[in-house]
Amino acid sequence: RDWSVTGVQTCALPICGYISLNFGKTVGIDQDGTRVVIGASNANYYINSAVVNQAGSAYVFTRTGTSWAQEVMIKAQDALSTTLDVFTGFNFATAASISNDGFRVIINATQDWASNPNDPNSPHMGAAFVFTRTGTSWALEAPLSIVPSENLILTLGNPIVVSVDINADGTRAVLGCSFFNNGYIFVFLRTGSNWGFEAAILATDLGYMAQFGTTVSISDAGDKVITTSPFMSTDGTNIYAGAAYVYVRSGSAWTQDAKLVPHDTATYTTFGWSADIAGDGSRAAFGAIYKGYPTRNAGSFYIFTLGSPSDHQFVHTTYPSSEDSLGGSVDISDDGKYIITGDYFNSNYGANGAGVAYIFRVDPNTLTPGAKSPAQEALLIGEYTVPNTDDHFGYSVAISGDGTRAIIGAPG
């Protein structure tokens, strides 16, 4: 496949904000690569004649042929009933996802008020917001808010909604709410235009710094969810080794199907730093950004084939160089055959921290336990300009469900 650049999206400052947008902090793409969503969580703009810093915004772009145009800018206040709820550090759109049909996007806000918006001391749990499209117009469909019980707050602290995903037809959404030592994932179900809570999921074997819910991903049918705990100690000695969990749905009931740990798990592997499940639920890819073998903090990623009789794994070990970040972001096509991963600290192609991304093609016939190095399909570099120091190209990545297009964020 030809992986040439078909469009480079930037924001004109008078439209998008002022400084330090973090445009590209998160990205998502629909099934056929005709719509993308891009987050800019640091976007600053005026609300009631005052600049609100790090309020955040998201952008939807649409493709006609090989041309891309901005369809909508969604600001933090578009998600709320009153602009008074938006405050400095709201951090709208650190995570976002678009449904395969391109009719819905889900966007998080890490610092939304959980209970009383008039009380700055109320728990800041974070929330997620679903927007729906009619033609080319986008409107808020529903906020998905997590209001914890007082006992939950006292026991676990305030979780922050750090990850979100939505299934193919936009009928189910999953939120990852990471605690310092624990975490939850929450599943919401849409009936018509109404969203309701379906399930809260918590692993039972978590420990110090587990941060369960750091990443979440849901299958197209909405019947399988993966989530990760990248800082979990797997055996009491390998600190920050990481683990992942697979949950399956029967009706409206969710149960744990598997816990995934790499065969070569080690201290600081951070397995699950990033994660994505194939649309058909057959495979999942996991980044391990701090994996240090054979060079320090070079990173890696793993592929698991999900389901009975066993979960086979594949580890890519062609590390670029020391202090890179392979696996810092990862996404997988619907059929599990194409994987894109970001290495956003890579300095080998122009400037320190300029970043790169890789696309790999998986041969299912060679996907066996402990196998290594899938076929590299493409090395992608930010070639639209001379790469700049700390561009962090590859900080976020997404590949269309059909595996024909990819979007790569460079928030630096």
Side-chain angles (χ1 to χ4, degrees):
R1 294 181 178 177
D2 177 15
W3 289 100
S4 57
V5 176
T6 60
V8 178
Q9 304 305 332
T10 58
C11 281
L13 294 182
I15 297 175
C16 296
Y18 295 92
I19 59 173
S20 188
L21 293 173
N22 271 167
F23 183 77
K25 181 73 173 288
T26 182
V27 296
I29 189 168
D30 65 2
Q31 163 68 23
D32 60 359
T34 56
R35 273 185 175 82
V36 299
V37 59
I38 304 169
S41 59
N42 277 12
N44 314 321
Y45 39 79
Y46 282 101
I47 298 178
N48 298 330
S49 301
V51 174
V52 178
N53 296 316
Q54 297 179 347
S57 55
Y59 307 83
V60 177
F61 286 82
T62 184
R63 176 178 60 86
T64 302
T66 58
S67 299
W68 289 85
Q70 182 175 312
E71 187 169 61
V72 68
M73 172 187 180
I74 303 173
K75 295 183 179 181
Q77 64 260 42
D78 297 328
L80 304 167
S81 59
T82 170
T83 57
L84 296 178
D85 290 350
V86 181
F87 53 90
T88 295
F90 191 76
N91 283 340
F92 182 71
T94 64
S97 177
I98 188 168
S99 59
N100 263 4
D101 59 15
F103 279 97
R104 283 177 174 83
V105 296
I106 183 170
I107 304 166
N108 81 325
T110 62
Q111 292 294 304
D112 184 34
W113 276 294
S115 52
N116 182 3
N118 297 314
D119 178 10
N121 296 316
S122 65
H124 287 193
M125 289 281 293
F129 305 89
V130 178
F131 291 82
T132 185
R133 177 175 62 86
T134 302
T136 58
S137 299
W138 290 85
L140 176 67
E141 185 171 58
L144 308 180
S145 297
I146 309 300
V147 180
S149 67
E150 197 65 30
N151 181 61
L152 184 62
I153 294 175
L154 292 174
T155 302
L156 299 176
N158 295 335
I160 298 175
V161 179
V162 296
S163 55
V164 295
D165 198 19
I166 193 167
N167 74 329
D169 62 359
T171 54
R172 275 185 171 83
V174 58
L175 282 58
C177 301
S178 180
F179 295 87
F180 180 73
N181 286 343
N182 234 308
Y184 267 92
I185 60 174
F186 297 89
V187 182
F188 288 82
L189 171 66
R190 178 178 62 85
T191 304
S193 60
N194 297 316
W195 285 86
F197 173 81
E198 184 172 65
I201 301 171
L202 172 67
T204 58
D205 60 346
L206 302 178
Y208 178 70
M209 280 287 290
Q211 296 193 19
F212 179 81
T214 293
T215 58
V216 292
S217 183
I218 189 169
S219 63
D220 282 355
D223 57 359
K224 189 175 290 187
V225 164
I226 61 171
T227 190
T228 63
S229 296
F231 297 107
M232 182 177 179
S233 173
T234 53
D235 60 6
T237 58
N238 290 329
I239 62 171
Y240 307 154
Y245 299 83
V246 182
Y247 296 91
V248 295
R249 178 179 58 84
S250 177
S252 60
W254 289 86
T255 56
Q256 183 174 316
D257 183 63
K259 177 181 178 180
L260 308 178
V261 177
H263 73 286
D264 60 347
T265 187
T267 296
Y268 297 114
T269 295
T270 56
F271 172 77
W273 180 275
S274 57
D276 190 47
I277 190 171
D280 62 9
S282 62
R283 294 191 182 100
F286 302 93
I289 190 173
Y290 288 119
K291 182 172 175 59
Y293 174 82
T295 56
R296 187 163 58 96
N297 292 3
S300 182
F301 72 89
Y302 298 79
I303 306 166
F304 279 76
T305 298
L306 305 179
S308 181
S310 62
D311 294 295
H312 296 290
Q313 60 191 29
F314 185 105
V315 55
H316 175 261
T317 54
T318 305
Y319 299 96
S321 62
S322 178
E323 300 298 331
D324 279 354
S325 53
L326 186 68
S329 56
V330 69
D331 203 44
I332 187 169
S333 63
D334 276 356
D335 60 7
K337 292 182 179 178
Y338 289 89
I339 293 173
I340 183 170
T341 184
D343 179 5
Y344 54 84
F345 278 118
N346 188 290
S347 303
N348 294 341
Y349 299 95
N352 289 334
V356 299
Y358 302 87
I359 294 177
F360 294 91
R361 186 178 65 256
V362 178
D363 180 356
N365 296 320
T366 63
L367 193 62
T368 57
K372 299 178 180 180
S373 297
Q376 182 173 310
E377 179 90 353
L379 166 66
L380 306 178
I381 307 170
E383 294 178 336
Y384 51 94
T385 61
V386 176
N388 295 313
T389 298
D390 294 331
D391 273 349
H392 298 320
F393 180 83
Y395 186 92
S396 58
V397 297
I399 193 166
S400 59
D402 61 10
T404 60
R405 281 181 169 79
I407 179 171
I408 302 165

